[in-house]
Amino acid sequence: MCQLLGMNCNVPTDICFSFAGFRARGGLTDHHRDGWGIAFFEGAGARVFLDPSPSADSPVAELVKHYPIRSLNVIAHIRKATQGEVRLENTHPFQRELWGRYWIFAHNGNLKNFAPTLTGRFQPVGTTDSELAFCYLLDRLAQRFPQGTRDIAELHAELHAELRALAIEIGSHGEFNFLLSDGNQLFAHCSSRLCYIVRKAPFPVAHLADEDLTVDFNEVTTPLDRVAVIATTPLTDNECWTQIAPGNLLAFRDGEPVALRDTTTVAQDYPRGTVTNA
Amino acid sequence: MCQLLGMNCNVPTDICFSFAGFRARGGLTDHHRDGWGIAFFEGAGARVFLDPSPSADSPVAELVKHYPIRSLNVIAHIRKATQGEVRLENTHPFQRELWGRYWIFAHNGNLKNFAPTLTGRFQPVGTTDSELAFCYLLDRLAQRFPQGTRDIAELHAELHAELRALAIEIGSHGEFNFLLSDGNQLFAHCSSRLCYIVRKAPFPVAHLADEDLTVDFNEVTTPLDRVAVIATTPLTDNECWTQIAPGNLLAFRDGEPVALRDTTTVAQDYPRGTVTNA
């Protein structure tokens, strides 16, 4: 299995603190040694750093840790291969363009007997179930919204509902936790395990679960900042993370989750100060 | 105007030496300060490093310089903005997927009154003439070869001819030097200035034109290695570079150029030891 990390904010924010702990899981504090990747949206552009080597040893990860790229939407992934060899083309997150926007996708889980029919517009380059699911998602979105506009905000509710239906359809083939972003919003789907935290004023002093590192966010933020961090399991051991109920797709915008109206979000709090591996 | 750098090899090779000189042109020895990028194919996968800041000061460029990523096909670009603001989404090289392969594109030149009709399958994210030309190229290829196969080799001659026709068509709007690769081969189109060198045994001792750096390739290669380097202007000042005649599209495979049968390549040699800015 793999690990996911996402960030969605109302002001461009660097992910250095969370990434430091997340990265340790790629070979140091956990066994996800089969590559890693991270994508940052900056305006309409996206920067994707991929490395098929373990994140704990990666010079690219070292750069990302020390070079504060500020972004409204970030998606990162460390891999424990289930389907597809350890190769660059099988390294998450994956990127495609649809409606003149980049889309970034990363998956945690394992899909079995998943062989959808594709139109050919989006085709996997590698051999993972994850990239196939991403291509299928975009293929269906392109068919459902052929006139897709640059102002995705207009389509928001419809897009959210369509993605929810697709997540349920694909999820019938197995575990399908994923993060997806077009730079405007970040979708987080929980099939088995995915949690989040919203940090806003008054900001906490947070301590990483995977490294002995503490940060006082009051020193690096303004009172109006709001930052949502989404992860497979909590990254800090002294904050209260909210588990996303299995079967839910949240859309994070401006640093907070917007639930789909017709779904019920059953938030389950993790006990404070506990690293839960739910 | 911008500067292009490409590499095509018969064995995975690092581009550290050429990149050291090329990078200096992004703010040190030349004025291309409006961002830079480099893409490496590794197997079917591609790694694209983009930075809208000058390459001479970029921490990402520092990483690329010291982290020897070995690749069969590399495309790099440093930007002097003509059309489109200095933003990440306007930074070359650009990436899309077609036929289950990644395609990478970078352009040097300036297209005027270029407003082609696109089907919508490939749409620009940024506002450059370059990305628009790339989307148009892929759009036309997708229409011309709807059954595009993973074995691009089969299509090679037809693909080359189609690209040549498209390059001439787009080039009627202005300067259109470009590098394009699908990981199997690297296409280099010269509209005004682009040159290349093929290094093979016995390997030279090469000296950079933009930095006082020398490398003896005999120490880092085997006798069977063959490496083609393509650049806007020669990167070394003690080797003989070949200018690609304007109007020609070369396909580099296994470290050497394959000219299209129905075109005439008029090779113009630069005087040895001279940095020519033709």
Side-chain angles (χ1 to χ4, degrees):
Chain A
M1 283 305 170
C2 309
Q3 295 244 349
L4 295 169
L5 168 64
M7 185 177 74
N8 169 272
C9 324
N10 68 347
V11 291
T13 304
D14 80 62
I15 199 171
C16 294
F17 175 72
S18 296
F19 184 71
F22 183 70
R23 177 194 176 196
R25 297 180 182 177
L28 269 182
T29 59
D30 210 337
H31 56 191
H32 307 85
R33 295 186 58 83
D34 300 332
W36 70 282
I38 188 166
F40 301 86
F41 278 96
E42 291 169 80
R47 285 206 249 202
V48 186
F49 295 90
L50 299 172
D51 207 334
S53 58
S55 58
D57 315 329
S58 160
V60 186
E62 199 60 28
L63 169 86
V64 171
K65 183 176 170 184
H66 293 107
Y67 181 38
I69 297 176
R70 290 175 191 277
S71 174
L72 292 179
N73 288 285
V74 178
I75 291 179
H77 183 271
I78 47 180
R79 185 164 182 240
K80 175 81 181 67
T82 47
Q83 293 181 38
E85 287 175 76
V86 178
R87 298 177 62 92
L88 182 61
E89 64 264 31
N90 290 336
T91 306
H92 307 224
F94 301 102
Q95 178 182 359
R96 292 291 188 278
E97 171 264 314
L98 171 64
W99 305 326
R101 300 199 69 79
Y102 292 121
W103 291 74
I104 299 284
F105 175 87
H107 167 220
N108 157 331
N110 194 14
L111 302 173
K112 288 169 188 163
N113 306 313
F114 178 60
T117 303
L118 301 173
T119 66
R121 173 162 175 181
F122 300 98
Q123 293 182 49
V125 172
T127 53
T128 61
D129 51 339
S130 312
E131 191 189 10
L132 180 58
F134 179 40
C135 290
Y136 179 65
L137 271 177
L138 293 186
D139 219 6
R140 290 285 300 271
L141 289 184
Q143 288 175 69
R144 173 74 177 75
F145 305 106
Q147 308 300 324
T149 154
R150 281 187 172 246
D151 185 1
I152 304 295
E154 281 174 21
L155 290 174
H156 179 66
E158 283 176 82
L159 182 66
H160 197 161
E162 182 71 18
L163 276 171
R164 171 82 199 291
L166 286 166
I168 290 170
E169 178 191 335
I170 298 171
S172 70
H173 291 272
E175 217 174 340
F176 193 47
N177 305 293
F178 71 78
L179 298 177
L180 172 73
S181 180
D182 66 346
N184 288 320
Q185 55 207 332
L186 192 151
F187 293 100
H189 182 255
C190 178
S191 132
S192 57
R193 53 180 198 161
L194 199 58
C195 60
Y196 71 91
I197 192 165
V198 172
R199 295 196 182 108
K200 55 188 176 181
F203 284 92
V205 175
H207 180 263
L208 285 182
D210 296 79
E211 275 201 359
D212 187 14
L213 189 62
T214 297
V215 69
D216 181 352
F217 285 111
N218 291 295
E219 293 171 4
V220 289
T221 53
T222 75
L224 295 176
D225 294 3
R226 193 170 49 224
V227 177
V229 178
I230 305 110
T232 299
T233 58
L235 288 168
T236 54
D237 55 15
N238 67 338
E239 292 180 292
C240 194
W241 291 68
T242 302
Q243 187 176 4
I244 302 173
N248 264 283
L249 175 74
L250 300 182
F252 288 84
R253 310 189 82 179
D254 297 326
E256 61 185 0
V258 187
L260 191 60
R261 235 167 291 155
D262 65 358
T263 67
T264 314
T265 302
V266 185
Q268 247 184 287
D269 284 347
Y270 284 89
R272 186 178 298 264
T274 310
V275 186
T276 312
N277 284 297
Chain B
M1 284 304 170
C2 309
Q3 295 244 349
L4 296 169
L5 168 64
M7 185 177 75
N8 168 272
C9 324
N10 66 349
V11 290
T13 304
D14 81 63
I15 199 171
C16 293
F17 174 72
S18 295
F19 183 72
F22 183 70
R23 177 193 176 196
R25 296 181 182 177
L28 269 182
T29 59
D30 210 336
H31 57 190
H32 306 85
R33 295 186 58 85
D34 299 332
W36 71 281
I38 188 166
F40 300 86
F41 277 97
E42 290 169 80
R47 284 207 249 201
V48 186
F49 296 90
L50 299 172
D51 207 334
S53 58
S55 58
D57 315 330
S58 162
V60 186
E62 199 59 29
L63 169 86
V64 170
K65 183 176 170 183
H66 292 109
Y67 181 38
I69 296 176
R70 291 175 190 277
S71 173
L72 292 179
N73 287 286
V74 178
I75 291 179
H77 183 272
I78 46 180
R79 185 163 182 241
K80 176 80 181 69
T82 47
Q83 292 182 39
E85 286 174 76
V86 179
R87 297 176 62 92
L88 182 61
E89 64 264 32
N90 290 335
T91 306
H92 308 221
F94 302 101
Q95 178 183 359
R96 291 291 188 278
E97 171 263 314
L98 171 64
W99 306 325
R101 300 199 68 79
Y102 292 121
W103 291 74
I104 299 284
F105 175 87
H107 167 220
N108 158 332
N110 194 14
L111 302 173
K112 288 169 188 162
N113 305 313
F114 178 61
T117 303
L118 301 173
T119 66
R121 173 162 175 181
F122 301 97
Q123 291 183 51
V125 172
T127 52
T128 61
D129 51 338
S130 310
E131 190 188 11
L132 180 60
F134 179 39
C135 290
Y136 179 65
L137 270 177
L138 293 186
D139 219 6
R140 289 285 299 270
L141 288 184
Q143 288 175 69
R144 173 73 177 78
F145 305 106
Q147 308 301 325
T149 153
R150 282 188 172 244
D151 185 2
I152 303 295
E154 281 174 21
L155 289 174
H156 179 65
E158 284 175 82
L159 182 66
H160 196 160
E162 181 70 18
L163 276 171
R164 172 83 198 292
L166 286 167
I168 291 170
E169 178 190 335
I170 299 170
S172 70
H173 291 271
E175 218 174 339
F176 192 48
N177 305 293
F178 71 78
L179 299 177
L180 172 73
S181 180
D182 66 346
N184 289 320
Q185 56 208 333
L186 192 152
F187 294 99
H189 182 255
C190 178
S191 132
S192 57
R193 53 180 197 161
L194 199 59
C195 60
Y196 71 91
I197 191 165
V198 173
R199 295 196 181 109
K200 56 187 176 182
F203 284 93
V205 176
H207 180 261
L208 286 182
D210 296 80
E211 275 201 1
D212 187 15
L213 188 63
T214 297
V215 69
D216 182 353
F217 285 110
N218 290 296
E219 293 171 4
V220 289
T221 52
T222 74
L224 295 176
D225 294 3
R226 193 170 49 225
V227 177
V229 178
I230 305 110
T232 300
T233 59
L235 288 168
T236 55
D237 55 13
N238 66 338
E239 294 179 291
C240 194
W241 291 68
T242 302
Q243 188 177 3
I244 302 173
N248 263 283
L249 176 74
L250 300 182
F252 288 85
R253 308 188 83 180
D254 297 325
E256 61 186 359
V258 187
L260 191 60
R261 237 168 290 156
D262 64 357
T263 67
T264 314
T265 302
V266 185
Q268 248 184 284
D269 284 346
Y270 284 88
R272 187 179 295 265
T274 310
V275 186
T276 312
N277 284 296

